[in-house]
């Protein structure tokens, strides 16, 4: 369902000027898709849609020119999976321990994953931190990483 919905979003933004998430939600609804604004927001991030200024001075969603190559994306994810030793949470901060020298690569992978609620990352040699908007988002992300590391 997600792939079908995202495919429809791409069709919508390629055929009409969509300025807001609310307009996108309405366009999807008129095509038989029932979803939420939060889901639309995640879809926009995953599809790498950005707003561009039109000739009339309004904005519209378009596909971003900036695309991380799939080979590079896969390598970063593999580095993350193979290099991370542990993940712990302290309030809204996720502490990622890696093998020596891999914290920067792990944080780079995190930066490119477009994680919901992530403010940013900071890396040392074998420790990286991920700053989240709040502690519940940090806890949720930590749980997801623990599943990935199994």
């Amino acid at each position: 369902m997600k792939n079908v919905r995202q495919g429809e979003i791409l069709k919508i933004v390629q055929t009409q000027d969509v300025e807001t998430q609310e307009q996108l939600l309405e366009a999807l609804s008129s095509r038989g898709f029932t979803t939420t604004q939060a889901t639309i927001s995640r879809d926009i991030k995953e599809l790498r849609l950005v707003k561009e200024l039109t000739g009339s001075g309004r904005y519209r969603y378009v596909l971003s020119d900036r695309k991380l190559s799939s080979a590079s994306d896969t390598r970063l994810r593999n580095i993350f999976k193979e290099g991370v030793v542990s993940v712990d949470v302290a309030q809204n901060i996720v502490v990622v321990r890696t093998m020596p020298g891999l914290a920067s690569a792990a944080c780079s992978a995190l930066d490119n994953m477009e994680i919901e609620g992530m403010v940013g990352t900071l890396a040392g040699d074998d420790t990286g931190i991920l700053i989240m908007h709040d502690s519940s988002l940090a806890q949720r992300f930590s749980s997801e990483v623990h599943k990935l590391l199994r």
Side-chain angles (χ1 to χ4, degrees), residues 93-96 103 107 110-111 118 120-124 127-131:
I93 297 172
V94 179
V95 178
V96 179
C107 284
L110 290 168
D111 288 335
M118 183 178 81
T121 62
L122 181 65
T127 304
I129 63 168
L130 174 73
I131 302 167

Side-chain angles (χ1 to χ4, degrees), residues 45 109-119 130 132 141 144:
K45 285 181 183 180
L110 290 168
D111 288 335
N112 286 297
M113 289 180 193
E114 298 182 11
I115 297 162
E116 178 189 2
M118 183 178 81
V119 177
L130 174 73
M132 304 297 283
F141 172 75
E144 290 176 21

Side-chain angles (χ1 to χ4, degrees), residues 68-80:
L68 185 64
S69 76
S70 62
S72 176
D73 188 39
T74 300
R75 275 185 294 218
L76 286 171
R77 288 177 188 270
N78 285 339
I79 288 169
F80 184 80

Side-chain angles (χ1 to χ4, degrees), residues 39-50:
T39 300
I40 296 294
S41 181
R42 282 190 294 274
D43 287 341
I44 287 169
K45 285 181 183 180
E46 288 177 19
L47 293 169
R48 298 179 198 261
L49 297 180
V50 295

Side-chain angles (χ1 to χ4, degrees), residues 2-64:
K2 176 180 174 180
N3 289 337
V4 174
R5 182 184 64 247
Q6 288 184 349
E8 197 64 30
I9 289 171
L10 290 174
K11 287 178 191 173
I12 291 168
V13 299
Q14 290 170 346
T15 59
Q16 62 191 46
D17 288 349
V18 177
E19 194 169 1
T20 65
Q21 290 182 10
E22 190 172 274
Q23 289 173 340
L24 187 55
L25 194 60
E26 288 172 11
L28 280 171
S29 179
S30 71
R31 294 171 184 212
F33 290 86
T34 304
T35 189
T36 65
Q37 185 275 328
T39 300
I40 296 294
S41 181
R42 282 190 294 274
D43 287 341
I44 287 169
K45 285 181 183 180
E46 288 177 19
L47 293 169
R48 298 179 198 261
L49 297 180
V50 295
K51 285 189 174 182
E52 92 175 353
L53 189 60
T54 66
S56 64
R58 301 186 71 160
Y59 287 91
R60 69 181 179 139
Y61 281 107
V62 296
L63 267 170
S64 171

Side-chain angles (χ1 to χ4, degrees), residues 83 96-108 122-128:
V96 179
R97 300 237 181 235
T98 69
M99 296 174 65
L102 292 181
S104 182
C107 284
S108 180
L122 181 65
D125 181 59
D126 64 355
T127 304

